Amino acid sequence: MFFPLPSDLTQNRPKMESFRGFRMWVFFFMCLLFQSGNGFYLPGSYPHKYGIGDELWVKVNSLTSIDTEMPFSYYSLPFCKPEGGVKDSAENLGELLVGDRIENSPYRFKMHTNESEMFLCQLDKLSGDQFKILQKRIDEMYQVNLILDNLPAIRFTKKEDYLLRWTGYPVGIKIQDVYYLFNHLKFNVLVHKYEETNVARVMGTGDAAEMIPTIDKEGSDKPGYMVVGFEVIPCSILHNADSVKGMKMYNKYPSPIKCDPSTVAMPIKEGQPVAFTYEVTFEESDIKWPSRWDAYLKMEGAKVHWFSILNSLMVITFLAGIVLVIFLRTVRRDLTRYEELDKEAQAQMNEELSGWKLVVGDVFRAPTNSALLCIMVGDGIQILGMAVVTILFAALGFMSPASRGTLITGMLFFYMILGVAAGYVAVRLWRTIGCGDQKGWISVAWKAACFFPGIAFFILTTLNFLLWGSHSTGAIPFSLFVILILLWFCISVPLTLIGGLFGARAHHAEYPVRTNQIPREIPQQKYPSWLLVLGAGTLPFGTLFIELFFIMSSIWMGRVYYVFGFLLIVLILLVVVCAEVSLVLTYMHLCVEDWRWWWKSFFASGSVAIYIFLYSINYLVFDLKNLNGPVSATLYLGYSLFMVLAIMLATGTVGFLSSFWFVYYLFSSVKLD
């Protein structure tokens, strides 16, 4: 152990004091983040204290189905509406893009007050259109999604001694060609007693956060409660239509209601009245407010995630061994032998050169469609940076499901900001290929700003027309389309051009060897080189296909995905595998005197997108086999195509940049004329 002398302590006192101050600030910041009493909570929003008897209002989200993947408004079905009319809740950009439409509902509770046989409303007669739309939504297995204090309603069912969790409840059920409607809801609200009385009260969870300091009066010991759970049991009850005539909302139903989820009794028929009722019970729970999302975020199959990481590490170790052999046994050995020879021996050896040393005059020859390559690499940097930063913030808890839409909003924000990196990389690579020529850099930067967003807008617009035609809430409103276009041209494009300006002014990478005027003829290969390139994508796919299943299930099966820590590790491993695969294949091509490595290094790792798209088709056929109609299948394939395009650009960029570094390092050590 090292003990500093007194003179060292005197000299280093300012540094030690500054370090101690920095450490105190870090400690203070961590205390602010993670103290459990009156601090901030991650993940989630802020606690809301309710007094006994305070009103709690349930909100409704879009109806969803894993059979159609098209959300619809809650009030597109003949449900009871609030007395004051339907009002939309404030929604962020991410919520609108994923199809969430949060609205108020007539379901009203009073904190810590049990209520039963609460009457909502009665529809006098089901019209023909209402009857048909209910039948269709029941056939398509649509779920009703309710929200209380930012918590989605959760439903528990038992299957073979296993307790299954579901968010929301089905609209109804079909038994022997008869359609039954769930018209009675039994709610169970879990509450936890508010323990701190002199802390800042926070109003509005999820939708709006407004800090309101509270000063309790002396002698006031009025208890407060926080909502920590929201459970629902749907029932089908046959009400007496005559007995509820003239009843107002929130009146007591005249007869007892027994909610038994195992039986159904309310068949729907055209021209028949339908009454809606509910009941609510409050139950005190030991669940703390910061832990109230545990029921939704319980990680299942942790061993599978660890197996995925172990599998990736084995692939990385195998490829790292190949790379090590290339560097230590082949490249280093050849270079050392070459440096030890005298000039005459070097000249004689030059005549006997073979393998990668023969393409020294062609290895940096500009590739075909070099501008397109620069644009794709720039966009790949932008997408990869967005993915890394977003997943990192999500792993730290800043983008939890408690704050709906923040993940998509964060991705858009980081993508726009990283336009600077896209412009810089694209233009600097363009200048490097052009040996320092700045001509045309504005065009490259402009195309980099429009290439991937343009394709994305084309795909999303096409899919949006399908959603508009189906009257789905998943359709992006026209006003939001205008906002996205303004964000693109007013923020993303200018930032990309600014990055291009920095790239034009930066010093370009100078090639270590000169390029011959006449291209060298490439020997005829025994097998097509592109076949090897396309097959290389299997290794990166092997590192992520297990995690890909959980992500696909989250997107298309309505499951909550929150293992972003695992996803961050898998992303890092994927980057390493892509770099190694591309590097090895580039060396193999150079060894057979094929100097056209630029595009091949990009697609060697980018070809993983092909296997992801094939996996998406497999998932559609075997896991989403109940998907109804060509519109739903087109939506699925369209979004999958958009996803694999982004993955191809990101992984291809990793492979190309690693190969460029390898080739630059390799030939900078060679001294050939």
Side-chain angles (χ1 to χ4, degrees):
M1 184 178 294
F2 172 74
F3 295 95
L5 298 175
S7 59
D8 296 331
L9 292 174
T10 305
Q11 295 174 0
N12 296 330
R13 184 172 297 162
K15 296 182 179 179
M16 294 176 64
E17 290 178 354
S18 61
F19 176 74
R20 189 180 296 111
F22 172 75
R23 189 169 56 183
M24 290 298 295
W25 276 107
V26 171
F27 177 76
F28 176 71
F29 178 72
M30 297 297 287
C31 289
L32 283 178
L33 284 180
F34 298 107
Q35 61 179 328
S36 60
N38 56 343
F40 302 99
Y41 297 91
L42 292 174
S45 50
Y46 301 97
H48 189 167
K49 174 186 173 183
Y50 297 94
I52 295 178
D54 288 353
E55 290 186 345
L56 291 84
W57 291 92
V58 176
K59 295 183 179 181
V60 292
N61 204 343
S62 300
L63 305 172
T64 56
S65 170
I66 61 174
D67 281 6
T68 65
E69 302 299 347
M70 289 191 294
F72 289 94
S73 171
Y74 173 83
Y75 292 107
S76 64
L77 294 183
F79 291 140
C80 299
K81 296 183 179 180
E83 292 179 328
V86 179
K87 299 177 182 177
D88 293 333
S89 297
E91 295 170 327
N92 57 43
L93 189 63
E95 288 177 298
L96 293 173
L97 287 175
V98 298
D100 285 346
R101 297 294 183 271
I102 301 176
E103 300 163 312
N104 60 335
S105 80
Y107 293 103
R108 182 198 66 186
F109 308 153
K110 293 181 180 179
M111 173 56 73
H112 223 290
T113 304
N114 296 341
E115 296 174 300
S116 60
E117 293 94 30
M118 298 295 294
F119 175 75
L120 272 185
C121 74
Q122 177 175 264
L123 302 176
D124 292 336
K125 290 182 179 181
L126 276 180
S127 66
D129 292 338
Q130 290 175 334
F131 176 69
K132 289 178 181 178
I133 194 69
L134 276 174
Q135 280 186 321
K136 186 177 181 182
R137 296 293 178 256
I138 293 173
D139 282 334
E140 294 170 341
M141 299 180 63
Y142 268 86
Q143 302 281 319
V144 178
N145 300 293
L146 306 178
I147 301 170
L148 178 66
D149 195 47
N150 204 37
L151 277 180
I154 195 170
R155 177 171 56 96
F156 294 96
T157 58
K158 280 188 177 181
K159 184 178 181 181
E160 299 178 358
D161 297 331
Y162 287 99
L163 193 64
L164 303 178
R165 300 185 304 272
W166 308 87
T167 53
Y169 67 92
V171 173
I173 189 172
K174 181 182 178 182
I175 301 177
Q176 296 179 351
D177 296 330
V178 180
Y179 293 87
Y180 295 90
L181 179 69
F182 291 123
N183 60 334
H184 178 84
L185 300 180
K186 182 179 180 180
F187 296 104
N188 184 36
V189 181
L190 304 180
V191 295
H192 186 80
K193 194 169 184 179
Y194 199 81
E195 299 172 353
E196 299 289 338
T197 57
N198 294 319
V199 298
R201 184 183 180 195
V202 183
M203 302 292 294
T205 61
D207 299 321
E210 180 183 357
M211 300 293 294
I212 303 177
T214 60
I215 303 176
D216 291 343
K217 296 180 181 179
E218 294 184 2
S220 175
D221 56 351
K222 181 180 178 181
Y225 293 90
M226 298 173 293
V227 177
V228 295
F230 184 36
E231 302 171 3
V232 62
I233 299 175
C235 295
S236 179
I237 305 295
L238 183 60
H239 295 300
N240 189 338
D242 295 331
S243 63
V244 298
K245 284 184 178 180
M247 289 185 64
K248 294 183 179 180
M249 191 174 286
Y250 309 121
N251 284 354
K252 190 87 170 179
Y253 189 76
S255 58
I257 299 176
K258 184 180 179 181
C259 180
D260 184 4
S262 62
T263 61
V264 290
M266 182 59 210
I268 55 173
K269 298 177 182 178
E270 186 176 347
Q272 176 183 347
V274 179
F276 293 88
T277 54
Y278 72 96
E279 59 183 284
V280 58
T281 57
F282 285 84
E283 178 185 343
E284 291 198 27
S285 171
D286 295 332
I287 300 174
K288 301 287 186 181
W289 192 89
S291 304
R292 67 179 191 159
W293 276 88
D294 288 356
Y296 306 86
L297 306 179
K298 283 183 179 178
M299 185 182 66
E300 299 177 353
K303 293 182 179 179
V304 178
H305 293 279
W306 285 116
F307 173 77
S308 172
I309 292 174
L310 181 61
N311 174 61
S312 303
L313 288 174
M314 293 177 63
V315 174
I316 286 176
T317 304
F318 172 72
L319 292 174
I322 297 177
V323 173
L324 198 63
V325 169
I326 291 174
F327 272 98
L328 296 183
R329 296 192 58 185
T330 307
V331 178
R332 281 291 183 185
R333 182 188 61 192
D334 289 352
L335 293 177
T336 303
R337 285 178 54 198
Y338 186 82
E339 294 296 334
E340 290 175 353
L341 298 176
D342 54 21
K343 291 184 178 180
E344 293 184 3
Q346 286 183 11
Q348 182 180 358
M349 186 179 179
N350 288 343
E351 298 177 358
E352 301 174 355
L353 287 178
S354 62
W356 59 270
K357 296 178 285 293
L358 286 173
V359 297
V360 66
D362 299 273
V363 70
F364 290 108
R365 188 177 303 280
T368 57
N369 300 316
S370 56
L372 179 61
L373 178 64
C374 298
I375 292 165
M376 294 175 69
V377 170
D379 283 353
I381 284 289
Q382 189 176 7
I383 295 170
L384 181 64
M386 174 204 68
V388 171
V389 176
T390 303
I391 295 174
L392 178 62
F393 272 85
L396 294 175
F398 289 97
M399 296 177 181
S400 74
S403 303
R404 281 177 298 274
T406 54
L407 187 67
I408 302 296
T409 306
M411 291 174 67
L412 284 174
F413 173 77
F414 293 131
Y415 181 82
M416 290 187 298
I417 296 300
L418 289 170
V420 176
Y424 177 83
V425 172
V427 172
R428 192 173 182 195
L429 180 60
W430 168 255
R431 293 188 62 231
T432 299
I433 294 176
C435 299
D437 187 10
Q438 294 187 4
K439 185 178 179 182
W441 74 266
I442 297 179
S443 175
V444 171
W446 168 258
K447 291 176 182 176
C450 298
F451 179 73
F452 178 72
I455 297 176
F457 263 89
F458 175 77
I459 295 174
L460 294 179
T461 303
T462 304
L463 299 179
N464 215 49
F465 279 117
L466 296 176
L467 292 170
W468 273 335
S470 302
H471 305 286
S472 169
T473 58
I476 301 174
F478 179 76
S479 58
L480 183 57
F481 246 110
V482 175
I483 292 174
L484 292 175
I485 292 174
L486 289 176
L487 290 174
W488 178 13
F489 285 100
C490 297
I491 297 179
S492 181
V493 171
L495 288 177
T496 308
L497 292 175
I498 291 173
L501 178 62
F502 291 151
R505 293 182 176 180
H507 182 69
H508 69 281
E510 296 182 356
Y511 294 146
V513 293
R514 290 180 298 178
T515 301
N516 297 334
Q517 293 183 354
I518 301 175
R520 179 185 178 84
E521 184 179 355
I522 299 174
Q524 187 176 1
Q525 308 298 326
K526 296 181 180 180
Y527 51 85
S529 58
W530 281 103
L531 188 63
L532 188 62
V533 169
L534 295 177
T538 55
L539 291 175
F541 178 75
T543 66
L544 60 82
F545 80 97
I546 295 178
E547 206 65 33
L548 185 63
F549 170 78
F550 291 98
I551 296 174
M552 299 282 280
S553 299
S554 173
I555 296 174
W556 302 110
M557 302 291 285
R559 299 171 186 170
V560 178
Y561 184 88
Y562 200 64
V563 287
F564 289 104
F566 282 112
L567 185 59
L568 181 63
I569 296 174
V570 171
L571 178 62
I572 295 172
L573 297 179
L574 176 65
V575 169
V576 175
V577 171
C578 287
E580 292 178 343
V581 164
S582 182
L583 191 149
V584 171
L585 256 71
T586 298
Y587 179 75
M588 292 175 63
H589 283 107
L590 294 179
C591 285
V592 294
E593 303 176 29
D594 187 355
W595 45 265
R596 297 173 301 185
W597 60 272
W598 300 79
W599 281 107
K600 292 176 183 177
S601 66
F602 185 93
F603 286 110
S605 54
S607 60
V608 66
I610 298 175
Y611 299 96
I612 294 177
F613 189 72
L614 294 176
Y615 179 82
S616 300
I617 296 175
N618 174 81
Y619 192 86
L620 172 63
V621 174
F622 294 101
D623 293 272
L624 296 178
K625 53 188 175 183
N626 294 327
L627 204 63
N628 290 328
V631 175
S632 299
T634 304
L635 289 171
Y636 173 84
L637 294 175
Y639 288 125
S640 299
L641 182 63
F642 170 72
M643 177 183 68
V644 300
L645 175 64
I647 293 174
M648 183 199 70
L649 292 174
T651 54
T653 297
V654 172
F656 171 79
L657 292 179
S658 62
S659 292
F660 184 86
W661 170 83
F662 168 71
V663 173
Y664 189 90
Y665 166 79
L666 179 62
F667 285 91
S668 62
S669 304
V670 179
K671 299 178 181 178
L672 293 174
D673 294 332

